[in-house]
Amino acid sequence: MRTKIAPILNLVEENENLKPLTNRRPVASLPFACRYRLVDFPFSSLSSIEAPSAALFISGSGHSLYDHIRSGATWGLESSVGGGVFTHSHINLKAELEDPQYQGNYYDDHYHYVSRSHAEYVMIMGSNMLSNIRLDSLLRFHEKKDSDATVIYKKIKRSEVREDSIHSALIMSEKDNDKIEGIRPVTDTTDPNDSLLLNMEMMILSKDAFLNYLFKAKKENLDVSVKHIITYCHGSEHNIYGYEYTGYLKVIEDIGSYYQANMDMLNEDNFNSLFYRSNPVLTKLKNSAPTYYGKHAEINNAQFANDCEVYGKVENSLVFRKVTIAEDAHIEDSIIMQDSCIEEDVHLKYVILDKHVYVKRGAKLEGTPDEPIVVAKDSVIYEDGTIEEGE
Amino acid sequence: MRTKIAPILNLVEENENLKPLTNRRPVASLPFACRYRLVDFPFSSLSSIEAPSAALFISGSGHSLYDHIRSGATWGLESSVGGGVFTHSHINLKAELEDPQYQGNYYDDHYHYVSRSHAEYVMIMGSNMLSNIRLDSLLRFHEKKDSDATVIYKKIKRSEVREDSIHSALIMSEKDNDKIEGIRPVTDTTDPNDSLLLNMEMMILSKDAFLNYLFKAKKENLDVSVKHIITYCHGSEHNIYGYEYTGYLKVIEDIGSYYQANMDMLNEDNFNSLFYRSNPVLTKLKNSAPTYYGKHAEINNAQFANDCEVYGKVENSLVFRKVTIAEDAHIEDSIIMQDSCIEEDVHLKYVILDKHVYVKRGAKLEGTPDEPIVVAKDSVIYEDGTIEEGE
Amino acid sequence: MKTETVAMILAGGQGSRLGKLTKHIAKPAVPFGGNYRIIDFALSNCANSGMNDVGVVTQYQPLILNNHVGNGSSWGLNRHNGEATILQPYSSMEGEKFFKGTAHAVFQNIDFIDKKNPKYVMILSGDHIYKMDYQKMLDYHKEQEATLTVGVMPVPWEDASRFGVMNTDKTDRIIEFQEKPENPKSNLASMGIYIFNWDRLKKYLVDNQAKDRQLTDFGHHVIPAYLRNNEAIFAYSFEGYWKDVGTIESLWSANMEFLDPEHELDIRDRNWRVYSNNPNTTPQFLTESAKVTDSMITDGCYISGEVVHSIISHNVKIGKNSSIKDSFVMPNAVIGENVKIEKAIIGEGAQIHDGTEIIGSDDNIEVVGYDEEVGGYTDEN
Amino acid sequence: MKTETVAMILAGGQGSRLGKLTKHIAKPAVPFGGNYRIIDFALSNCANSGMNDVGVVTQYQPLILNNHVGNGSSWGLNRHNGEATILQPYSSMEGEKFFKGTAHAVFQNIDFIDKKNPKYVMILSGDHIYKMDYQKMLDYHKEQEATLTVGVMPVPWEDASRFGVMNTDKTDRIIEFQEKPENPKSNLASMGIYIFNWDRLKKYLVDNQAKDRQLTDFGHHVIPAYLRNNEAIFAYSFEGYWKDVGTIESLWSANMEFLDPEHELDIRDRNWRVYSNNPNTTPQFLTESAKVTDSMITDGCYISGEVVHSIISHNVKIGKNSSIKDSFVMPNAVIGENVKIEKAIIGEGAQIHDGTEIIGSDDNIEVVGYDEEVGGYTDEN
């Protein structure tokens, strides 16, 4: 059944702690698990409920994101039927912005998209809460509760997010466990072992509730964000509920959590939870050949995409497309992105190579589990371990 | 035959004199002739020679352009095969820009695109020289002449472009009429009746010649433009030829020329030259119903797109999709863009309505052939002729 | 998401009563309404009803039809979870598989349906003009716990004997089926739209095949067999415009009705759009000498003559001093100067030379075939 | 741009020598090399040669094949000027049109080719593994001013009697054709690749049909007829890897050759890519207990066992302590624990239960059919 839903992907996401990986791409474009980008996960959730269109709000030019999403055909977002993908780049968060001309566009773009979409509901999502949400279940919950707005949360330990995390937690009503009573910063909780209900910054709300909020937001110069809408709902007469997500979740907020999320995939439970227990995860298809493993290849607990040639030793690592690993090279606990080339006798441990890095014969590089070494796109690593950064 | 060509669409084009039509769109996105946008013309030329990919350089966010081009499938630019569309937005002309970080990207983006494209030739095009070029003929000319670089020009009267036009003219060698000897601003010619060979700012050049120029351009901080490449070729040992275009051409450089280009289409010779004598012009397909003309409709020399409902009188005008014209309304010498609604007893003459303008019952508006009234997107025109501008 | 329903659009018929209009193309591919082919209505209904898994069964002259349907992308039917598939005769280890009737066509494509493993199979015809929400019919089928639901519509009693008629009890359960009865007991005509529980239908088709009793046709064989076995068959009543354009006259009159801006089919309704696979062509050009009233014109047309109460499809040229009235002109036709056409259907790509007159009447609509040339030097008599 | 050449890929054959591998699917749709189906090579050759107008003639069990080819978009064959079209049996006013042979299949699709109005028609087979620039062969055809050019390749003299052999004069003009001759006069074997001038070929097909002498097969009927009429027939020699994978043994050995990273087919050559219609699946997961050497593994695989000198297609699961050697495993197969497989082809979706042994030899490659279950409770003997 085609769902009467207008999804808004709010991809203006904090990326300071993810640099240099986010130097030239938004968080949504971060490569993940050998074949994906983070934005594939919300898009795949939307595809499963057959959302006919989506509006994207992106800070920066979104070049890498456009090239990935194109017409959205991968996720059934056709342009001739249903609307397709509407993209809005160079969006700034309202709080940072004083120029009223841009602010006008920001609210108008939201308004036009939603009002013209023939939708009953608006869905707001981001890309930095890595997860795979069954939106059909959410929708049923939302309808059954006769809710105006429903926010997705997960019960996590305080230690699962950064000490200075910018994210927030829900406070549920004592009378009705499903009802949201308030919201507070996760930093209010200090004991790392304490539980909290993380606001996953995804919500569904009625078109009316959304447009009402938009009117207020424009007047008061507020961002269109889940956090603000929760606060708004409490100030007005809107019912707002929480929907618990129990599958795999990782908050991608720094290099450490990004590294850990990838490594998590080498654990079968996590891998199956994210890829096989919910919606199939769809990504842009590229023509490819099978990966070849050479006569002396040694592989131990690793994942690869197609199009690689592997002659060396790879352990506890993830390898993206079109990577060559020469004989007697040894890769451990690392993430090797697309188009990288690793020569003989190289040893990498706790390393993240961004796309198209060339590692010369004999080079050794070793980070730590907490602080993996990140090598920027197009870099060259020489035998003595010096890194010539890509332009 | 699939052509080994890497097209670069340089869409960073002067738009000051086209405001307000270019307030929120680049020149390339300007609607034209009821169904098209200017960028459809270079894209259709490329489609006819089966170019497998294209790189776009756009100033500003390019939102309207992205939504039009999407995956480029309309013009055979598929993503899984051959490369597809590579988009680079928020490009500034080098001369305006001091921040070396951005400059790095500008040249690198060009370099990566061309070097990875498996192409033999680079084609540079823009969108403000409205024309329909047979690139297969150009290619044959280029190969027959054993040329390093070939520039397309047209013989025009000086009066065909603005008095202060920023465009340039070619100077051909006296020994070899096809050889370019120099370039000069069209403003050097002052007599409006004089002929000149307008540089159409489209050229084909060998991959090597292009990469050589790019190297120099990066060092000297030059734009990748036809004008600069011509000058470069003269300074080096490269052969550079001119290829004469004899079909319909209009330089879109201000509201007057934009208006005239549209009106030109009501002349059969121009219409046939642009649409039927060369490549078929392809644009993004939208699902549509036939246009309905009411029992008392009066039409005289006008063009319409599908999806309109016309009950009134329309003369010497162009009407885009989803326009309603009520009974006893009278439209003359005007351009009515998509989604506009015209009520009863309205009279418009020499008017350009941008998209989604609402003209209330009884309103009258009359410009002049030289200065048509331009009404911005989303405006409302009241009975007394006052215009409430769209946000 | 698992496939709940597979929709099978039967588009294999020749439609021989349309005469030369279906000589080289299947009836569902016949142009309609300026911008459409007949099958667009069934396909758009599927898309708008969220029935994304569609088999289009073709057999008779399918080239244009297959090309039109393609991979279903024009209707949004090319998704990861749902797609349009063309099903045509083929050969197998058991021999050549042509389709001898509506039910037989489904029997021959059991493998296709089984691969989708649906709970329900919906049978549709590719040659009716209507807008219908199939999802509502499916909801009804589930509510009634039916094993077969038949789409019916009330027709005037005097016409009932021209249809297959369903007699129902007070609960809308079908208790009798009469094919073109002389004395109809009901005025509920079958629309040729069925929802079956797939496992049950498959059992009927396979078991009877094994006994060498082919269930060839749904109306003649399957419904009677279901009735004999006291299956829960229900009638789902459809109210709204529905037209079988099986004859020249009905094709013409359906077009004339379609033309009316107040027509209940409402082609401009944005909530239930009729999609098609449209060509990339130029704007419509109405010259100084054009006079167009109460008509639909489509992109790519060049009109210099007079058009009154007619539908002109895309890329049609009409010369000076010509007049077209009460007619339907299919795509790419070229009509010269001083031509007079009234109450006619002009086929795709037909050429009507200068000075020709083609005048039909309400009882006898004139037809010019596809690519046919009329008038001029080539055919002067 | 006008269509210069229409390529007709004949993909209707059953390939009966492949036994159970072609029971439910046509030979050109048989999986190959981990990520491909056999027809991908011909389709990619068309795309890379700039032959954008392609008719894919299907007949035998075409569901998977048609679904794979779709609208040709995986090969970039869905452009405004050029597209892939599936051509299957159909019915017409003249009756049912099945394809009785290679030339007859072209005869039955004259309408399709005429619509494109090409100068040349290229005939290709959908079941060969090779990379070839058809444009070069077309250039040769034009240079020689041939009315028919036949693609040939030199084979070892001792094998020549297994092929259709072309005897040429010094100018490469073909003067004699011998089908599987006992004493071959030449070692130039026909590859089943032809370029015809369309108007000429059409005349032969139609004229002979009119005389009730059907030209059913290109090798048996059309080439002899051309020779009798002294047409300008030339041989175009192809040098390079070419393999007809018509038997179990040749399918297996072609896969084993393909596996070699130094193989001349060079699947990783970016200038002549082999495209396919790949599924959207997960990365390949090689667990702690996996041991993979000299093998190709494809996305979606989950490997816990040992794989040596084998091709494992997408979405295959291999359990712990299992060992796969010198084998080709097709997509979606599930192989349990403690399984031993050597010199075998495992069909799509086959299930090999725990503890099973499947051991073939060079002379007798073991084959497990599609969706077949081996071992376990269901088949314990």
Side-chain angles (χ1 to χ4, degrees), chain D residues 249-301:
Chain D
E249 274 66 30
S250 64
L251 177 64
W252 177 80
S253 63
N255 271 286
M256 293 302 110
E257 287 158 16
F258 188 72
L259 178 49
D260 180 357
E262 307 298 321
H263 188 251
E264 69 172 302
L265 212 50
D266 191 4
I267 196 65
R268 290 184 171 77
D269 178 3
R270 298 266 140 204
N271 287 312
W272 197 276
R273 294 166 75 175
V274 181
Y275 302 103
S276 189
N277 184 350
N278 293 326
N280 220 324
T281 183
T282 54
Q284 38 197 281
F285 194 163
L286 280 59
T287 69
E288 281 173 10
S289 52
K291 193 164 168 3
V292 175
T293 54
D294 197 16
S295 292
M296 280 181 173
I297 314 280
T298 315
D299 280 355
C301 285

Side-chain angles (χ1 to χ4, degrees), chain D residues 10 12 25 46 110 146 169 331 348:
Chain D
L10 305 178
I25 95 178
C46 285
I110 283 180
D169 68 11
E348 270 199 82

Side-chain angles (χ1 to χ4, degrees), chain A residues 35 268 288 290 292-293 302, chain D residues 35 268 281 284 286 294-295 302:
Chain A
R35 314 182 62 247
E268 279 184 50
S288 64
Y292 178 73
Y293 299 86
Chain D
N35 222 7
R268 290 184 171 77
T281 183
Q284 38 197 281
L286 280 59
D294 197 16
S295 292
Y302 175 89

Side-chain angles (χ1 to χ4, degrees), chain C residues 182-193:
Chain C
E182 269 185 60
N183 302 302
K185 297 185 198 159
S186 151
N187 71 334
L188 296 176
S190 169
M191 299 164 73
I193 297 177

